[in-house]
């Protein structure tokens, strides 16, 4: 091999080496770029998660009342005791029908004997007691004390139950629920503002209890045989309380 041929082969080898290096760089560049794009993890949103609980309560004036009155009488003769009870029922029904009330009905009729000792003679005497109840509904709450007074004078001798309520509670429940949701939004906005976040997002919301509590107006109201007086029925400040609770998961971002 002469000198010129050897130099020519060296020249050819250098050219081939250059081509391989250039091609290697060419094909490796995209792979490097792809690797550089995949290595960094996706930047997560900067947010804070919080849980909020809301309990909203509102009072409403009742517009209807359910009343249950009780009355009883006794006699040593069962037939006489029943007859007297029937007379009381007739008098009470007449008063209620004149007042044009709703849902008038009798309930809880019962006859039972009781044996007691006569304190003067020491004799054991059996009495037949007849108990009964009458139920009605009224929307005239202002006149209820007067009406109850008339019923007591006609023979009723105790108030079993007085339940003040709303005739339709659906609208009131919707109003209180809307207020609870408004309170939730206000609290979420307050947290976002005070934790240096621009906004909030409600991710999940759970509704809890929706309760309606009538006013506890049941007090003893009896007519005494000696004076004929009776206690007044409490009507002032009677309210119906509606309560709505909910919880939510929110994100502040």
């Amino acid at each position: 091999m002469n000198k010129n041929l050897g130099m020519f082969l060296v020249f050819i080898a250098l050219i081939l080496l250059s081509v391989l290096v250039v091609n290697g760089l060419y094909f490796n560049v995209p792979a490097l770029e792809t690797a550089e794009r995949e290595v960094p993890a996706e930047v997560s949103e900067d947010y804070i998660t919080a849980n909020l609980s809301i309990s909203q309560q509102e009072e409403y004036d009742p517009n209807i009342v359910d009343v249950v009155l009780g009355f009883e009488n006794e006699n040593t003769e069962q037939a006489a005791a029943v007859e007297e009870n029937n007379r009381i029922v007739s008098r009470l029904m007449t008063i209620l029908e004149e007042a044009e009330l709703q849902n008038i009905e009798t309930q809880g009729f019962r006859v039972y004997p009781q044996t007691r000792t006569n304190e003067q003679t020491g004799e054991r005497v059996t009495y037949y007691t007849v108990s009964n109840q009458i139920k009605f509904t009224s929307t005239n709450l202002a006149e209820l004390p007067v009406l109850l007074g008339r019923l007591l004078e006609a023979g009723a001798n105790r108030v079993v139950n007085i339940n003040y309520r709303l005739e339709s509670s659906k609208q009131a429940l919707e109003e209180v629920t809307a207020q609870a949701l408004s309170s939730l939004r206000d609290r979420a906005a307050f947290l976002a503002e005070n934790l240096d976040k621009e906004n909030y997002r409600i991710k999940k919301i759970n509704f809890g209890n929706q309760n309606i509590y009538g006013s506890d107006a049941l007090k003893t109201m009896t007519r005494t045989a000696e004076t004929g007086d009776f206690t007044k029925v409490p009507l002032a400040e009677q309210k119906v309380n509606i309560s709505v609770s909910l919880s939510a998961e929110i994100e502040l971002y």
Side-chain angles (χ1 to χ4, degrees):
M1 182 183 295
N2 58 31
K3 182 179 179 180
N4 290 333
L5 180 58
M7 292 183 64
F8 176 76
L9 294 174
V10 171
F11 179 74
I12 294 299
L14 290 173
I15 291 175
L16 292 173
L17 181 61
S18 299
V19 171
L20 291 173
V21 171
V22 170
N23 286 339
L25 291 174
Y26 176 79
F27 288 111
N28 286 336
V29 167
L32 290 173
E33 290 178 351
T34 301
E36 289 175 357
R37 288 197 299 269
E38 293 177 353
V39 169
E42 184 179 352
V43 179
S44 61
E45 191 174 11
D46 182 20
Y47 65 84
I48 298 175
T49 301
N51 294 314
L52 292 179
S53 296
I54 302 294
S55 180
Q56 192 76 29
Q57 295 185 359
E58 294 296 330
E59 289 185 338
Y60 288 81
D61 292 324
N63 51 23
I64 195 168
V65 60
D66 298 316
V67 180
V68 179
L69 295 180
F71 48 97
E72 63 181 28
N73 57 282
E74 64 179 14
N75 197 293
T76 55
E77 298 293 332
Q78 179 175 327
V82 172
E83 184 179 353
E84 173 61 20
N85 193 270
N86 289 338
R87 283 195 292 268
I88 296 174
V89 170
S90 179
R91 291 196 296 265
L92 298 180
M93 292 295 289
T94 298
I95 294 172
L96 294 175
E97 289 170 357
E98 290 175 353
E100 299 181 351
L101 302 179
Q102 308 171 25
N103 306 322
I104 306 172
E105 62 181 45
T106 58
Q107 60 183 30
F109 179 79
R110 182 186 176 194
V111 180
Y112 55 96
Q114 295 186 89
T115 301
R116 300 195 300 268
T117 301
N118 189 305
E119 295 181 355
Q120 296 179 349
T121 65
E123 181 184 1
R124 299 282 289 175
V125 180
T126 298
Y127 294 87
Y128 291 90
T129 300
V130 181
S131 64
N132 211 341
Q133 293 180 354
I134 193 163
K135 179 181 178 181
F136 64 89
T137 300
S138 175
T139 56
N140 192 351
L141 274 60
E143 294 298 322
L144 183 59
V146 175
L147 175 62
L148 290 178
R150 292 183 61 196
L151 294 170
L152 288 170
E153 291 173 355
N157 49 33
R158 71 181 185 279
V159 176
V160 178
N161 187 41
I162 301 177
N163 178 33
Y164 294 95
R165 60 183 176 88
L166 298 174
E167 190 168 8
S168 176
S169 58
K170 181 179 178 181
Q171 181 179 352
L173 276 173
E174 291 176 349
E175 291 175 355
V176 179
T177 301
Q179 293 174 17
L181 292 172
S182 178
S183 298
L184 174 64
R185 291 191 293 268
D186 290 344
R187 290 183 61 180
F190 173 82
L191 288 178
E193 180 181 356
N194 287 272
L195 292 175
D196 297 326
K197 301 299 179 183
E198 295 182 357
N199 211 335
Y200 68 89
R201 174 171 53 244
I202 299 177
K203 292 188 62 179
K204 184 187 298 184
I205 185 168
N206 297 311
F207 285 92
N209 296 324
Q210 292 182 321
N211 296 318
I212 302 176
Y213 301 100
S215 179
D216 183 11
L218 179 58
K219 293 185 178 180
T220 301
M221 178 179 175
T222 59
R223 176 173 54 84
T224 62
E226 293 79 9
T227 64
D229 295 334
F230 55 88
T231 60
K232 294 182 179 179
V233 177
L235 277 180
E237 302 301 326
Q238 299 302 325
K239 299 291 182 181
V240 175
N241 186 285
I242 294 182
S243 174
V244 174
S245 62
L246 57 87
S247 60
E249 180 182 346
I250 65 171
E251 286 183 353
L252 312 174
Y253 59 92

